Amino acid sequence: MRIISLIPILALAACVEDSPPNGAMLFAENCAACHGANAQGGSLDVTLTTVPPDLTRIAARNGGVFPRNRVASTIDGLNRDSHFSAAMPEFGAGDLGPLVMIDEGGTPVPIPADLLALTDYLQSIQR
């Protein structure tokens, strides 16, 4: 039996950057079952009492402006209105990836990478 040292392999792995999270993939894995594969609402779950909204029309429902912070807070579970369906999980209670810093008006703000990718994806599919 030949023993190979793993130290050089582990050192090399530590130097390789992870690829950024894919918002479309995160949506397909976490949101499509209720919001539809095309994000236009509907649900595969007949037990839901509230029809999940069309996520491609968020900006249209907000005067043509995509409310990034409100969308991210809703996904996270931090900021939800009283009429919000309790059926949607609070994704912030789980692992939303490593923190990345974003610039909010000159102030760096930490935000989980998966939450940022999912919010960016939703903004990209607005019609």
Side-chain angles (χ1 to χ4, degrees):
M1 184 167 119
R2 186 171 169 218
I3 299 176
I4 300 172
S5 173
L6 294 179
I7 294 172
I9 295 171
L10 293 176
L12 179 60
C15 294
V16 176
E17 283 190 36
D18 291 332
S19 59
N22 181 310
M25 182 184 72
L26 290 166
F27 181 86
E29 292 172 356
N30 298 290
C31 312
C34 293
H35 291 281
N38 62 4
Q40 293 180 355
S43 175
L44 300 177
D45 186 348
V46 295
T47 64
L48 293 177
T49 56
T50 304
V51 177
D54 180 345
L55 299 179
T56 67
R57 308 284 297 159
I58 297 170
R61 290 190 299 268
N62 288 279
V65 176
F66 184 78
R68 286 182 56 78
N69 291 342
R70 189 172 69 207
V71 169
S73 292
T74 299
I75 296 167
D76 180 75
L78 179 66
N79 184 22
R80 294 190 175 174
D81 297 357
S82 60
H83 71 278
F84 196 83
S85 172
M88 183 171 158
E90 290 184 16
F91 290 100
D95 180 17
L96 288 174
L99 294 178
V100 295
M101 301 302 282
I102 61 167
D103 185 342
E104 284 290 321
T107 304
V109 176
I111 185 168
D114 289 357
L115 179 58
L116 182 61
L118 187 52
T119 303
D120 287 346
Y121 171 72
L122 291 175
Q123 185 171 11
S124 77
I125 62 171
Q126 295 304 294
R127 52 186 179 97

